[in-house]
Amino acid sequence: QVQLVESGGGLVQPGRSLTLSCAASGSDFSIGAMGWYRQAPGNEREFVATITTAGISDYADSVKGRFTISRDNTKKNTVYLQMNNLKPEDTAVYYCNALVRRLGVFFHSWGQGTQVTVSS
């Protein structure tokens, strides 16, 4: 079993910043690409950002230039999402995702989600 644990969500005013973290835990596993997705009320879950083990990143157009994804492979495969200049439309539950290899099997693992609310 591999678990992803997120932290760092909360309530923030428009224009401010917030950093999300996600750490993988478990045994006998390795992590490939990691990423963030979000889901606003009434909407489908959407891609936000992803980063490979080599540090190559990709972003949704809506967050390019404002969000930065990074990872620390030495700290339990932790991935971060630095969110700057937040807007009300960034309000959503943010989910961490990772491509996991365990006992020769590949699968995607999801975190439980962390709420981000941008409001004055």
Side-chain angles (χ1 to χ4, degrees), residues 12-15 66 85-92 116-120:
V12 63
Q13 293 180 331
R66 299 188 299 121
N85 189 22
L86 283 160
K87 304 176 180 181
E89 51 264 41
D90 294 318
T91 295
V116 172
T117 302
V118 184
S119 175
S120 55

Side-chain angles (χ1 to χ4, degrees), residues 24-38:
S25 64
S27 61
D28 300 318
F29 71 96
S30 60
I31 298 288
M34 301 183 80
W36 291 93
Y37 290 71
R38 67 186 181 185

Side-chain angles (χ1 to χ4, degrees), residues 4 14 22 25 52-53 66 84:
L4 300 179
C22 172
S25 64
T52 68
T53 54
R66 299 188 299 121
N84 297 328

Side-chain angles (χ1 to χ4, degrees), residues 5-120:
V5 180
E6 300 133 335
S7 60
L11 172 64
V12 63
Q13 293 180 331
R16 304 299 291 269
S17 299
L18 204 61
T19 301
L20 305 181
S21 301
C22 172
S25 64
S27 61
D28 300 318
F29 71 96
S30 60
I31 298 288
M34 301 183 80
W36 291 93
Y37 290 71
R38 67 186 181 185
Q39 186 168 17
N43 291 353
E44 294 186 353
R45 190 173 298 188
E46 65 177 8
F47 166 76
V48 176
T50 188
I51 186 166
T52 68
T53 54
I56 299 171
S57 58
D58 190 24
Y59 300 90
D61 288 343
S62 59
V63 306
K64 279 182 181 176
R66 299 188 299 121
F67 290 11
T68 302
I69 189 171
S70 61
R71 67 187 290 169
D72 187 339
N73 294 326
T74 64
K75 291 184 178 180
K76 297 183 179 181
N77 293 289
T78 301
V79 65
Y80 306 94
L81 187 67
Q82 172 69 40
M83 305 183 291
N84 297 328
N85 189 22
L86 283 160
K87 304 176 180 181
E89 51 264 41
D90 294 318
T91 295
V93 177
Y94 283 71
Y95 296 90
C96 177
N97 174 270
L99 177 62
V100 179
R101 179 183 178 183
R102 186 172 185 271
L103 303 177
V105 177
F106 288 90
F107 57 94
H108 280 275
S109 183
W110 292 89
Q112 80 285 355
T114 185
Q115 177 70 48
V116 172
T117 302
V118 184
S119 175
S120 55

